[in-house]
Amino acid sequence: MRRGIAASALVAALAVSLAACGSSGSGSSGSANGPVTITYWDTSNATNEAPNYQALAQKFEAANPNIKVNFVNVPFDSAQNKLQTAMGSKGAPDVFRSDVGWTAGFAQQGFLAPLDGTPALPDPSAFRPNLIKQAQYQGKTYGVPQVTDTLGLLYNKALFSQAGITTPPTTWDELKADAATIKSKTGVDGFEMRAGDGYYAMPLFFGEGTDLVDTPNKKITITSPAAVKAVETYQSLFTSPGTVKPDVTSDSYAHMMDAFNNGKVAAIINGPWEITNIYQGSAFGNKANLGIAPVPAGSTGKAGAPTGGANMEVYAGSDAAHQAAAEKFVAFMTSAESQTFIAEKNDTLPTRPDAYTSDVTANLGIAGFQAILPDAQPRPELPEYASLFTSSGINLGKIVQGQESVQDGLNAIAADYAKLLPNFSK
């Protein structure tokens, strides 16, 4: 889930051929007694974010003249597969920026160096405990949290006010009622939901007190009564008055954001990675017009959203000199000073409380998402968890288009999960 802006000419200056980006075993240079060059794969948005991460890397080099950083920006959408391939054969980077959902899987395969007690993680208590937890696998910490995010209800305060609505909805039923009122009073669509995207559907499951699977008990729960209730509610978000019909085209995300940014839809579910782009929209010339609230709650009365973000990780296949340099780089990139710099430049949320300076929290978008972070639920320690979104996304898309019934769609997801998790019961 990243900003959807095409790479500009600036990317050419940042990126180099992946074939030339080896770890210590395939191209990185230096020794324990001389200059060391580490390769870093940065998976942030090439246009909005990567230049600021490269600026940090240059600051690190200035402070550490014996370490050079080969900065490579890798498109997020292809980064997981490229990392998997590189670490499984050759050409892996010494250090990289990983989605939090990839950490357990990479650790299970032995690709990551444990960071407990290393210079990369001198004080785990400096970070939010739930973020450290989801950087761990089988009792060891394999990543240092760099940025965090979650999903929230983003809404256009002016449109809500025009419709006579003074507070954001706290339940899905209230959201549907508000959407109908906004459409009736203003003529603008009240709400648009991402269709056919398993990640964006997670608040519906959490709101019913369930998940796609029960990891501790090794049980597939996607067909449970609570999951059925969640998907029925999800389905209703595309058919209720004032809500937008499902868009499953390849440009659906861009369509949704264009509509919201320019005042053509009053509310969406999304994360802080879009703050910068939202502020550039015609509806948010006044930044205070952007409302940020927790995702609505389900029948349990509790709201819940997935925790996203990125961890800094070190490749286990690099030699000792490169691992040591990479660990030092990780500590620098995740320091309070570096996180504050990135928050101010990229509008992202730090992972450590001491990075939330007065200047950072003066950003209304960051402050808004900081307030709803307590509703974020960490990923379970399941290497296959990120892969669960593939089948759920495909079949939820079919359900909301009327191509599958709710039960048939959930049965299809359960069948896919049984293949992916053969040790789990239904």
Side-chain angles (χ1 to χ4, degrees):
M1 318 310 161
R2 294 295 182 268
R3 298 183 176 98
I5 297 180
S8 69
L10 178 60
V11 182
L14 298 180
V16 296
S17 169
L18 296 181
C21 302
S23 69
S24 57
S26 57
S28 290
S29 61
S31 67
N33 298 318
V36 174
T37 297
I38 57 173
T39 293
Y40 168 57
W41 282 13
D42 174 80
T43 59
S44 68
N45 177 271
T47 302
N48 291 349
E49 298 178 329
N52 297 315
Y53 283 112
Q54 187 177 39
L56 273 184
Q58 291 168 347
K59 289 183 179 181
F60 172 81
E61 288 180 321
N64 298 273
N66 285 332
I67 302 175
K68 301 300 179 184
V69 179
N70 180 20
F71 185 100
V72 184
N73 182 256
V74 181
F76 177 81
D77 291 345
S78 61
Q80 183 179 12
N81 288 337
K82 288 181 176 178
L83 283 163
Q84 180 79 31
T85 300
M87 291 189 291
S89 56
K90 61 181 180 178
D94 301 293
V95 58
F96 59 92
R97 186 178 188 267
S98 167
D99 183 89
V100 296
W102 307 341
T103 301
F106 287 159
Q108 181 192 49
Q109 296 175 82
F111 293 154
L112 306 181
L115 302 177
D116 304 278
T118 71
L121 191 60
D123 182 13
S125 67
F127 299 86
R128 295 182 181 277
N130 64 319
L131 303 183
I132 287 290
K133 179 177 175 59
Q134 68 176 15
Q136 295 176 332
Y137 180 68
Q138 295 187 345
K140 294 182 180 180
T141 309
Y142 290 96
V144 181
Q146 185 185 55
V147 296
T148 188
D149 61 56
T150 189
L151 294 174
L153 177 70
L154 310 185
Y155 65 99
N156 185 317
K157 292 180 181 178
L159 288 174
F160 270 63
S161 179
Q162 289 175 35
I165 303 170
T166 58
T167 58
T170 59
T171 68
W172 297 110
D173 286 340
E174 288 180 5
L175 174 61
K176 288 185 285 186
D178 286 350
T181 299
I182 290 167
K183 183 69 172 181
S184 174
K185 296 289 183 66
T186 71
V188 172
D189 290 323
F191 177 69
E192 183 168 1
M193 184 72 176
R194 285 277 284 156
D197 190 311
Y199 183 82
Y200 281 81
M202 290 311 299
L204 283 300
F205 291 96
F206 292 151
E208 297 304 324
T210 190
D211 201 337
L212 307 176
V213 297
D214 179 349
T215 300
N217 294 308
K218 294 187 175 181
K219 183 176 178 62
I220 296 170
T221 55
I222 192 66
T223 57
S224 68
V228 171
K229 170 65 174 172
V231 175
E232 288 175 344
T233 302
Y234 177 77
Q235 187 179 42
S236 73
L237 296 174
F238 301 93
T239 59
S240 296
T243 61
V244 178
K245 293 180 180 180
D247 180 354
V248 294
T249 66
S250 60
D251 295 326
S252 61
Y253 184 86
H255 294 161
M256 179 183 75
M257 292 313 305
D258 178 72
F260 182 68
N261 294 352
N262 295 298
K264 299 174 184 177
V265 66
I268 60 173
I269 301 293
N270 217 338
W273 53 84
E274 280 294 344
I275 292 173
T276 297
N277 293 330
I278 290 171
Y279 284 159
Q280 294 173 0
S282 62
F284 299 99
N286 175 7
K287 295 179 179 180
N289 190 39
L290 175 62
I292 301 171
V295 294
S299 63
T300 63
K302 295 182 179 180
T307 302
N311 295 329
M312 292 285 291
E313 296 170 359
V314 175
Y315 178 48
S318 297
D319 63 30
H322 288 81
Q323 281 196 23
E327 289 167 1
K328 197 169 186 179
F329 181 66
V330 168
F332 179 88
M333 296 292 279
T334 58
S335 67
E337 181 180 357
S338 293
Q339 289 201 28
T340 296
F341 173 83
I342 288 298
E344 292 177 354
K345 296 291 185 179
N346 292 351
D347 296 325
T348 52
L349 275 67
T351 61
R352 44 192 301 160
D354 55 352
Y356 284 87
T357 64
S358 58
D359 287 339
V360 170
T361 55
N363 181 316
L364 298 177
I366 291 178
F369 270 99
Q370 182 187 17
I372 66 174
L373 281 177
D375 292 320
Q377 299 195 22
R379 308 277 181 102
E381 192 178 288
L382 180 66
E384 299 86 357
Y385 192 81
S387 299
L388 300 179
F389 297 135
T390 301
S391 181
S392 65
I394 291 170
N395 287 285
L396 288 174
K398 292 179 179 179
I399 290 170
V400 299
Q401 293 178 88
Q403 298 173 355
E404 288 180 342
S405 68
V406 170
Q407 195 62 61
D408 286 346
L410 295 182
N411 287 341
I413 298 171
D416 289 338
Y417 287 2
K419 297 174 185 176
L420 186 66
L421 302 166
N423 295 326
F424 278 50
S425 65
K426 290 187 179 180

